[in-house]
Amino acid sequence: MVHAIAQNQEYLEQTLSETAQADPDFTGRLFTMLQNTKPTDIQLALCRYDYFITQKDDAHELRMVEMNCISASFAGLSSKTTELHRHLSKHPSCEFPISQTQLPENDALARLSNGIAVAHQMFIDRYKPSLPTVVLMVIQPDERNVFDQYMIQSELWNTHNITVVRLSLSNLCTNGWVDDTGIFCLKHDGVSADEVAVSIVYFRAGYVPDDYPSEKEWSAREMLEKSRAVKCPSVAMQLVGTKKIQQVLDKEGQVERFLPDKADSDAVRSTFAGQYSLSMKDDVEQTIRMALERPENFVLKPQREGGGNNLYGDNLKKALETMTPSQRAAYVLMERISPVTVENVVVRNGEHERATVVSELGIFGVHVVEDDQVVSYAAGALLRSKASSHDDGGVAAGVAVLDSPLLVEWPM
Ligand code: ADP
Ligand code: MG
């Protein structure tokens, strides 16, 4: 579904034109880039689809929180967390009888890296670059989640003999160029070569306005977009991940348009929570009245990634009461999901504490495309748990902790 949407430039332009105007400095810039670049022959996306588990009577259901189409992180660390929990569960001092089958294996790191390796080989076979060819990981200059990234880098080197170069957008302006054949090249101070070609541009930055402090970073991004390198993700795929597209998908017929198989579209739709447009083109009066009457039942989401941007409760109310209609159009309103809570033990900074937690399950998806051939597969999981008293905030914000699923008979 996400690939089919990314292919449909007209749909993206129509759906996002107002949002681009309402958020000109970020969504607007990406939107202009979309209009100025063509899709590449090979495409790669490493996505993560995040869910809460809810309970209705005796049945449990998945409710999608969001789709992440750029820089979906923690494949490395979540694979390690599963190993850690499997290791500890076998320890003689473990108080609970846990069998290994209750702790499902997690191959997120291997499978995501495999997707990169497959697309890298496709690039080499197709364009036969004359220079040694590397994968470029675009990173934030003050990146803190480095170990998760190093794990992918090591896996690509150890298992696939692929070199990864990590650089920020601002480094790329001075170190990179596009050659006559469209290949993106880099100055490289490695032992074997002082210039390399880039097969895949894997973005672990570029998804928030702060990643573009000046025009320099935007021009680096534009240079990458115009090259033949496989962008993971393309700007189109990055825009598929906007909250606006996710809201529009909840409208009747939209998922079905991209997933014609009824069993598929029903399965995807069954995970959706209600989402509402705040566009000036739609009649939003009833939506706003509904949210103001019961703000605790909704989440107000801007076109941002990375946690900590959503508005809840009084803040949601105040924002809806004071924003102009055109400011409002940069947001979507989502039904608030009430996930099941579990008593658990959280370890942070070497201290442990008991807490009532909610867990968000992320399922990684790899999508590799060459011409009309699409290969998509699920690629392991991430579980993040946090005290149920927190509205928002992820692992990087210090609110949630890395976790792994434990399969149990319910109720426990
Ligand atoms: P971001 O792109 O910033 O990660 P999310 O949509 O994932 O945006 O929202 C951040 C966090 O806010 C989620 O991890 C979740 O804890 C909470 N959240 C988001 N949407 C909902 C919702 N509909 N109901 C309840 N909590 C939500
Ligand atoms: Mg999120």
Side-chain angles (χ1 to χ4, degrees), residues 98-151:
I98 294 175
S99 79
Q100 295 287 293
T101 53
Q102 286 177 275
L103 296 168
E105 279 189 40
N106 189 5
D107 46 10
L109 175 62
R111 285 181 158 246
L112 243 70
S113 305
N114 189 61
I116 297 174
V118 167
H120 171 83
Q121 195 56 48
M122 282 175 173
F123 183 91
I124 289 179
D125 293 346
R126 189 161 186 139
Y127 301 116
K128 306 188 171 49
S130 53
L131 293 170
T133 304
V134 302
V135 168
L136 168 66
M137 194 185 290
V138 179
I139 55 160
Q140 294 176 329
D142 53 355
E143 177 65 58
R144 288 185 302 160
N145 199 10
V146 286
F147 297 104
D148 187 56
Q149 299 178 353
Y150 286 155
M151 285 178 198

Side-chain angles (χ1 to χ4, degrees), residues 1 28 64 97 160 213 242 296:
M1 180 180 77
M64 190 187 272
H160 304 281
T242 53
E296 67 281 8

Side-chain angles (χ1 to χ4, degrees), residues 26-298:
F26 189 63
T27 311
R29 293 290 300 248
L30 295 171
F31 186 84
T32 308
M33 221 182 282
L34 172 77
Q35 293 175 309
N36 294 336
T37 48
K38 284 205 285 293
T40 46
D41 306 312
I42 304 165
Q43 292 169 38
L44 171 69
L46 305 176
C47 300
R48 203 188 65 226
Y49 308 94
D50 291 339
Y51 305 87
F52 276 137
I53 297 173
T54 61
Q55 183 169 15
K56 205 165 143 206
D57 304 323
D58 274 346
H60 287 92
E61 290 178 338
L62 287 176
R63 282 281 169 278
M64 190 187 272
V65 175
E66 66 153 344
M67 316 193 290
N68 299 282
C69 295
I70 182 166
S71 195
S73 62
F74 291 131
L77 291 174
S78 70
S79 300
K80 280 279 172 219
T81 311
T82 299
E83 276 177 41
L84 170 74
H85 285 161
R86 292 187 132 229
H87 172 88
L88 290 175
S89 71
K90 289 199 241 175
H91 198 273
S93 66
C94 179
E95 286 174 28
F96 316 98
I98 294 175
S99 79
Q100 295 287 293
T101 53
Q102 286 177 275
L103 296 168
E105 279 189 40
N106 189 5
D107 46 10
L109 175 62
R111 285 181 158 246
L112 243 70
S113 305
N114 189 61
I116 297 174
V118 167
H120 171 83
Q121 195 56 48
M122 282 175 173
F123 183 91
I124 289 179
D125 293 346
R126 189 161 186 139
Y127 301 116
K128 306 188 171 49
S130 53
L131 293 170
T133 304
V134 302
V135 168
L136 168 66
M137 194 185 290
V138 179
I139 55 160
Q140 294 176 329
D142 53 355
E143 177 65 58
R144 288 185 302 160
N145 199 10
V146 286
F147 297 104
D148 187 56
Q149 299 178 353
Y150 286 155
M151 285 178 198
I152 294 179
Q153 183 168 3
S154 301
E155 174 71 13
L156 283 169
W157 176 250
N158 294 338
T159 308
H160 304 281
N161 286 320
I162 296 173
T163 302
V164 175
V165 175
R166 297 167 74 255
L167 288 172
S168 69
L169 281 171
S170 86
N171 291 147
L172 287 174
C173 276
T174 35
N175 287 338
W177 69 96
V178 181
D179 79 5
D180 314 340
T181 65
I183 290 188
F184 188 75
C185 304
L186 276 177
K187 272 190 244 153
H188 184 63
D189 55 4
V191 185
S192 54
D194 35 357
E195 287 181 4
V196 289
V198 170
S199 56
I200 316 285
V201 182
Y202 174 31
F203 286 104
R204 293 293 294 252
Y207 57 89
V208 284
D210 282 355
D211 291 344
Y212 304 89
S214 71
E215 281 305 309
K216 205 168 118 182
E217 288 75 16
W218 281 113
S219 59
R221 176 81 194 251
E222 277 155 20
M223 180 163 62
L224 293 170
E225 290 301 326
K226 291 210 164 117
S227 79
R228 236 174 205 182
V230 179
K231 270 71 67 180
C232 174
S234 64
V235 69
M237 185 60 95
Q238 179 174 356
L239 288 167
V240 173
T242 53
K243 306 291 188 277
K244 182 65 191 175
I245 292 286
Q246 302 185 46
Q247 173 258 307
V248 170
L249 282 174
D250 187 44
K251 290 209 282 197
E252 211 181 310
Q254 299 298 305
V255 172
E256 294 71 13
R257 168 176 183 168
F258 295 104
L259 278 181
D261 183 299
K262 188 164 181 325
D264 288 346
S265 57
D266 285 354
V268 169
R269 191 169 275 293
S270 74
T271 67
F272 281 8
Q275 299 216 35
Y276 306 88
S277 166
L278 292 171
S279 158
M280 290 192 282
K281 293 183 216 149
D282 294 317
D283 182 8
V284 297
E285 220 169 277
Q286 202 197 334
T287 302
I288 291 173
R289 197 171 338 114
M290 176 178 78
L292 291 179
E293 270 169 22
R294 298 210 143 245
E296 67 281 8
N297 289 353
F298 297 94

